[in-house]
């Protein structure tokens, strides 16, 4: 009898738990071949909340993979987007700057590439009406484009991302909730850019929040960014921990689980 009870318990546990690991996904945006990564939630949920992750300017890296794995353990479908595509992956920061610069200027192409990844997240099992987009550095810029482009997402969260847009672009209503996690000493985002962004949020009637982290510069969530703030980009474990906690609060508010 005891053995039978154990077997039944194990069966129930197995049926509610999925082996969560990152799996490569080939997809496309028009003729451009793309290579993303998908991971299932550790536990099933009738609400199937989803998170689209936009990586930093070097593309899919160890930091984005680690975050995706952590979020899957919390019960989310996660898809890491490939923005550049086959034949366009940067080999160094110089090439990354050019690639990222293209999409920042050609924002409609960026929005289209993000939407292609969003559709893959939905195909993986995420509820089309229960999704948040998060992004880091260049990807943090991307989440704002997802909001500005009115993609069907409940919220967007940017971590040490660029905040600006061309001043000639009008501010349009933003319905996605917005979370900005920003290094208080980030040298790559000017005070003017911050002020313009905050005014855009007011003009767009957005539900937004911006959190500053002390003694933090660019890339403060990335363990591979080093520890020298004087270089402008460095890891800050305290700020990274706080930012992830703030992300969880945001997800719990915005998404159904």
């Amino acid at each position: 009898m005891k053995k039978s009870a154990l077997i039944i318990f194990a069966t129930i546990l197995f049926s509610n738990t999925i082996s969560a690991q990152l799996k490569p996904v080939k997809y496309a945006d028009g003729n451009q071949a793309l290579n993303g990564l998908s991971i299932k939630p550790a536990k099933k949920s009738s609400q199937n909340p989803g998170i689209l992750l936009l990586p930093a300017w070097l593309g899919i890296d160890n930091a984005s993979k680690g975050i995706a794995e952590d979020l899957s353990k919390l019960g989310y479908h996660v898809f890491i987007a490939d923005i550049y595509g086959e034949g366009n992956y940067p080999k160094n920061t110089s090439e990354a700057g050019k690639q990222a610069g293209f999409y920042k200027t050609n924002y409609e192409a960026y929005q289209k590439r993000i939407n292609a990844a969003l559709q893959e997240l939905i195909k993986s099992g995420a509820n089309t009406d229960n999704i948040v987009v998060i992004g880091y550095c260049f990807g943090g810029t991307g989440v704002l484009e997802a909001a500005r482009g009115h993609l069907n997402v409940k919220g967007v969260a940017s971590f040490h991302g660029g905040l600006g847009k061309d001043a000639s672009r009008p501010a349009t209503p933003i319905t996605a909730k917005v979370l900005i996690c920003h290094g208080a000493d980030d040298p790559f985002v000017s005070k003017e850019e911050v002020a313009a962004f905050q005014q855009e949020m007011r003009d767009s009637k957005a539900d937004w929040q911006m959190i500053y982290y002390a003694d933090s510069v660019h890339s403060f969530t990335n363990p591979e960014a080093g520890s020298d703030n004087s270089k402008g980009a460095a890891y800050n474990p305290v700020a990274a921990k706080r930012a992830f906690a703030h992300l969880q609060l945001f997800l719990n508010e915005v998404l159904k689980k």
Side-chain angles (χ1 to χ4, degrees), residues 19 25 30 48 62 73 92 110 116 156 188 200 224 242-243 249:
S19 178
V25 177
N48 289 318
N62 290 330
K73 293 172 185 175
N92 50 52
Y110 200 3
V156 301
F188 300 120
E200 177 195 359
E224 296 180 351
R242 289 173 177 172
L249 287 173

Side-chain angles (χ1 to χ4, degrees), residues 1-253:
M1 185 70 179
K2 182 184 257 185
K3 185 176 180 181
S4 297
L6 286 172
I7 292 172
I8 292 171
F9 176 76
T11 301
I12 294 171
L13 182 64
F14 180 79
S15 66
N16 287 293
T17 304
I18 300 169
S19 178
Q21 60 182 31
L22 287 162
K23 296 180 180 178
V25 177
K26 287 188 174 293
Y27 64 114
D29 177 14
N31 294 324
Q32 177 60 64
L34 301 165
N35 297 285
L37 290 173
S38 178
I39 188 167
K40 298 281 188 181
K43 292 185 178 180
K44 290 182 179 180
S45 163
S46 61
Q47 300 296 336
N48 289 318
I51 298 175
L52 177 61
L53 194 159
L54 308 182
W57 68 344
L58 284 170
I60 297 174
D61 55 11
N62 290 330
S64 57
K65 292 176 184 177
I67 292 163
E69 289 170 346
D70 288 342
L71 290 170
S72 76
K73 293 172 185 175
L74 295 176
Y76 300 98
H77 291 267
V78 187
F79 188 84
I80 308 178
D82 176 9
I83 299 301
Y84 303 135
E86 290 182 9
N88 301 306
Y89 300 127
K91 300 180 183 66
N92 50 52
T93 55
S94 177
E95 290 185 6
K98 291 178 182 178
Q99 290 278 18
F102 169 82
Y103 285 101
K104 288 179 181 179
T105 301
N106 297 276
Y107 65 90
E108 290 180 334
Y110 200 3
Q111 292 170 352
K112 186 169 179 285
R113 193 58 56 86
I114 294 167
N115 189 52
L118 179 61
Q119 300 314 308
E120 294 302 316
L121 172 61
I122 294 167
K123 289 178 185 178
S124 76
N127 182 340
T128 185
D129 295 316
N130 199 27
I131 291 173
V132 159
V133 186
I134 69 173
Y136 298 79
C137 299
F138 169 54
T141 303
V143 306
L144 294 178
E145 289 304 338
R148 292 167 181 147
H150 307 109
L151 272 63
N152 183 30
V153 296
K154 295 299 184 183
V156 301
S158 172
F159 299 85
H160 42 82
L163 306 175
K165 68 176 179 63
D166 191 312
S168 66
R169 292 172 61 187
T172 58
I174 289 177
T175 56
K177 296 180 186 295
V178 179
L179 169 65
I180 305 296
C181 294
H182 188 69
D185 301 323
D186 190 330
F188 300 120
V189 181
S190 68
K191 293 179 180 179
E192 292 76 16
E193 184 174 328
V194 170
F197 164 76
Q198 293 184 355
Q199 188 59 50
E200 177 195 359
M201 292 295 100
R202 297 184 182 97
D203 293 341
S204 299
K205 307 299 182 184
D207 179 348
W208 67 284
Q209 54 187 305
M210 186 168 184
I211 303 171
Y212 291 84
Y213 300 95
D215 194 33
S216 298
V217 290
H218 204 64
S219 299
F220 66 82
T221 66
N222 189 345
E224 296 180 351
S227 58
D228 186 353
N229 278 16
S230 69
K231 293 182 178 180
Y235 178 53
N236 183 319
V238 174
K241 182 178 179 180
R242 289 173 177 172
F244 193 72
H246 286 134
L247 172 61
Q248 291 180 71
L249 287 173
F250 183 71
L251 294 174
N252 288 337
E253 175 190 337

